[in-house]
Amino acid sequence: MTARRKTALRLHRELARIWAPDPRFRGWLTTSNNNDIGRLFLAVATAFFVIGGLLAMLIRAQLATPGSAFMGPEAYDQVFTMHGTVMMFLFAIPFFEALSMLVLPGMLGTRDLAYPRLGAYGLWVYVFGGSAVIVAMLLGLAPDGGWFMYPPLTSAAFSPGIGADVWLLGITSIEISAIATAVEIIVTVLRYRAAGMSLSRMPIFAWYILVVAVMILTAFPPMILGSLLLELERALDWPFFQVENGGDPLLWQHLFWLFGHPEVYIIFLPAAGMIATILPVMARTTLLGYGWVVAAAVSLGVLSFGLWVHHMFTTGIPHLGLAFFSAASTLVAVPTSAMIFAWIGTLWQGRVRMELPMLWIIGFFATFVIGGLTGVMIAIVPFNWQVHDTHFIVAHLHYVLIGGYVFPMIAAVYYFQPLLTGRFQVFRLGGVAFWLVVPAFHVTFLAVHVAGLLGQRRRTWTYDEGQGWEVLNLVASVSSFVMAIGFALVLLDVAINTFSGARGPRNPWGAGTLEWATPIPSPPYGLASIPIVGSRYPLLDDPRIDLKIARGEGYLADTSRNRRETLIVSTAQGAPAQVAVLPCNSALPFLLAVVTSTAFLAPLVKAHAVSVLALVGLVALALVWVWGLAPARAEGPIDAGHGAMLPLASEAPDPPGWWGSLFLLLADGVHFGALLFGYAFLWTVAPNWPPPSFLRPEPAGLALALGGAGALALAPRLAVRLIAAGRGAGPAVGLAALAALALAGAAGSVMLGRPDPAGHAHDATLWILAGHVAFHAGLVLIMLFYLALRLVAGKALRIGEARIVGLWADFTAATGLLALGAAWLPGVLA
């Protein structure tokens, strides 16, 4: 055995020891490694896919014949609602997040995601929230108002019981999981990459998933706000959607579709990223038009936020609005077409291998183009008026989501199976499954298209004979069961080959990206050293780069510090900048997810005291979490290899926590913007406005607001200067705490000025605005309490910590003034 081989084996053993999860069962509850978390995420999302598929079969069984007695209307409404909920919220987004967790670090040439424990926390919140929704369904307590939950149908008057509350609280907790994962993905893509991997050299999938993660941060907050408002109306009778008290149910539709339409592209773009990754490998070439594809993905992400009203063309939108949103809806065909033509050009310039992943991509092309064309059709207002709420819309949705998402994701599973399991296809059930699924899918939903054109309404539990829909529905139902058998064969094929497939060589497809530079299956640490790259396809340019990585010829090949380390690079150029020390295994993410889910779900059984205690526990565990991440002492620059002396990320002015806070505040800002939008919408559109009276600011409240906001913006900057000068930051921390209390006091004055938020939507909105201010002031106080604890413990504060608190303080001050101004300004003008 050569010396180099001995060195590689020794390095492998040391890294495996440092990064290994607990081998006992508790290891699944304490692991934070992306491989383990991603596999768990993938397994749970697949289980939800199976549940959603079974619910779909119940729907098709009911609609197979007219006047069917298979299900009554109450059961059908629950099944219909849960099918859409499971597929949209519990399967589609978590599934691509799981695949991203598994393959993204390897693609980028890093060892793990930016916040391993945050990923574990997101997993368990998703598991608990999704399980609560499924358990409620099994107990007959599922919601029955449709997966879109339109009020007033879902108000307490028309949907008594806890079914709607299960949806609102359970799905909101799942959305928090998605936001946590999105923050983790964004920071990973921007900062955690191989040395030399500039933005223009990133794998194409990294660009797609970056766009998607930013979209999650900007699309989910309006939905979270809508869920909060509807739950408050159901629980406390705050009349946000009650016309008689100044509310308007159309506000829910705006907030829901501000989320709902971008979500379609949030689901499609990761699948498109997988196609752009797999297709060039199957064609034995490189991607044609890399820059144009990136531009198309970014454009599609931006344009998707201007389309939400095309779901509301029949609600009385002014004609100018109809024209604008119709034009915007047809415009999205341009970047989509650019991507498809780039993929076709890639196939044209290459030599295509018809392996199983390529077969499913061909199925995508044949399906998604039809779905895109029907999408352009329903963007035309007169046609939309004719088919709105018919089965034509159902068929279009499934063409886009199954053809545009499920087929590429199956291709991705087959493509990455050797990387994730170390095994290859032996049994050939996958080909049989393909020829069952794709033809049966087209038969099913072409029939549903025609039934919709003939006038069959969606969301109805049965239909009468003589409508001309009988044969179409029977054909659709029979072929849907054939399709279900095909999907079952896919799952069986993947399972069999995972455990019984043949072992094979590394990089079996001849890919050029770094995820295939690891041993297969990928070890817990991913890469033995962080490589240096000079192009988009490092494995094609240097076929021996995997050996160089294994021998420790990259960065951070020194295991003497006995901790999990990875490289942080400059955002644009990929130059080595910092060394991140990642946390080890811990039960904290699991425990934090337990108390988070308890805080959300306890109100379902009226256990409000338990919910409050869970919130207290959440704060305590969060403080323990952050305290444990702080290094015991300053180390200064350390040797990262290749002569580079780099600072630890925790000692840098922009640590990972600063970047994570920056993007989390993006989501928070969108949430606040949606709140102001809702306030303005009710003001201008809702009946029974203006309210009986306006709130006028008291001098004391105004002084608290102005003084608190000003001091809150100043104090963290003062703390940064004091820390940089080597002086104590205690006075600045104290000033910031007083400022946060003052701002919270100003918010309290608004609530005291409107003691009955149930009287009018205006007063309820003022309480929400004031609650936003008080909540964020409380968050800043918790952060300041942590800094004070460090000072009391004799630990020096770091500039990065003060700058993180400064971000939250600036946001609280700015949005606080805007929120309080929105509450007071009408009274001043009146």
Side-chain angles (χ1 to χ4, degrees), residues 63-83:
L63 296 178
T65 56
S68 173
F70 180 71
M71 283 189 287
E74 296 83 4
Y76 181 85
D77 287 345
Q78 289 192 28
V79 169
F80 160 77
T81 300
M82 287 302 299
H83 168 66

Side-chain angles (χ1 to χ4, degrees), residues 143-165:
D144 57 3
W147 71 275
F148 33 78
M149 294 293 286
Y150 286 167
L153 178 63
T154 53
S155 65
F158 298 102
S159 292
I162 67 170
D165 302 301

Side-chain angles (χ1 to χ4, degrees), residues 257-280:
W257 291 115
L258 273 168
F259 146 81
H261 197 83
E263 190 194 23
V264 174
Y265 296 92
I266 288 171
I267 291 171
F268 165 66
L269 284 173
M274 287 298 182
I275 293 169
T277 299
I278 299 169
L279 188 143

Side-chain angles (χ1 to χ4, degrees), residues 18-39:
I18 293 170
W19 290 78
D22 190 327
R24 297 168 293 180
F25 173 77
R26 61 170 292 178
W28 290 105
L29 305 180
T30 59
T31 183
S32 58
N33 182 266
N34 71 291
N35 288 334
D36 298 329
I37 299 301
R39 287 188 177 97

Side-chain angles (χ1 to χ4, degrees), residues 511-534:
T513 44
L514 284 173
E515 72 271 23
W516 297 101
T518 68
I520 58 171
S522 179
Y525 57 83
L527 297 162
S529 59
I530 307 300
I532 303 168
V533 302

